[in-house]
Amino acid sequence: MAIYLVGDIQGCHQELCQLMAKVSFDKSSDQIWFTGDLVARGPDSLDTLRMIKSLGNAAKVVLGNHDLHLLAVHAGIKRAKPNDKLTALLQAPDIVELTDWLAQQPLLLQLPNEQAFVSHAGFAPQWTITEAIEQSQLVQQKISSTQRNKWLALMYGSMPNSWCLAHTEEEKFRYSVNALTRMRYCFDDGSLEFEQKDSPQHNSHQQLQPWFALQSKLTDTQWVFGHWASLEGHCEHPNAYALDTGCVWGGTLTMLRWQDKQLFSVPAIK
Ligand SMILES: [Mn+2]
């Protein structure tokens, strides 16, 4: 059995099919783990979700910010933006089935028998691994519960951006959603910043560092993440694997075979 991890699909269904064919993916023996942002901006979010759901136990998913936003749009909490290209998905006859399935997915997963984890954005510097696991489970419980819409409405906003300032259940929920699905850069104290999206080489904000440069627990923990397309798959940390290579922006779709760390990719169809 091989475990393949794949970066942000964002509706690039054809490239996903090509990449799975390239590695001769076999759903009876292999697994494919998705780093989140299955939908939005790309051409075919509907077929992407249907296909991943149809893989059953061969697919593992962590939720990204676009996946959570889709749930909020479907619930009527937010309006879809035209450039999200979600109309066909939102009007599909199986939209309730698809969003109910999506809402059951976790925000953090652990690879088998290893101190290795997957989340969409990464591992917040102010958290221990125990806190990351606990808080991701609390978010999942809320999003998968009958109170889903109440909590989805509460996830928007960037404050508190520091874990020590998250006191109430709501504040802890919002911080955790942001840390797990939106984080890229942090201030020196590990608090989260959400505006800067450039790669570290092009980052002119001296006070900001990538989360993986500040997360001291990464010495004995490995982390696989997506979300940060401008890294182009390079994060210069031996224990962090950046898999979003910007397929939806005309880059490539990238897959990491976990057992031997071999990378596979296909170019975006233009
Ligand atoms: Mn994202």
Side-chain angles (χ1 to χ4, degrees), residues 88 108 136 139 151 153 155 195 200 214 220 254 267:
L108 184 150
S136 70
V139 172
W151 286 102
M155 77 181 168
E195 299 302 318
L214 287 165
D220 49 12
T254 295

Side-chain angles (χ1 to χ4, degrees), residues 8 37 65 120 227:
D8 305 30
D37 280 359
N65 51 311
H120 182 60
H227 184 56

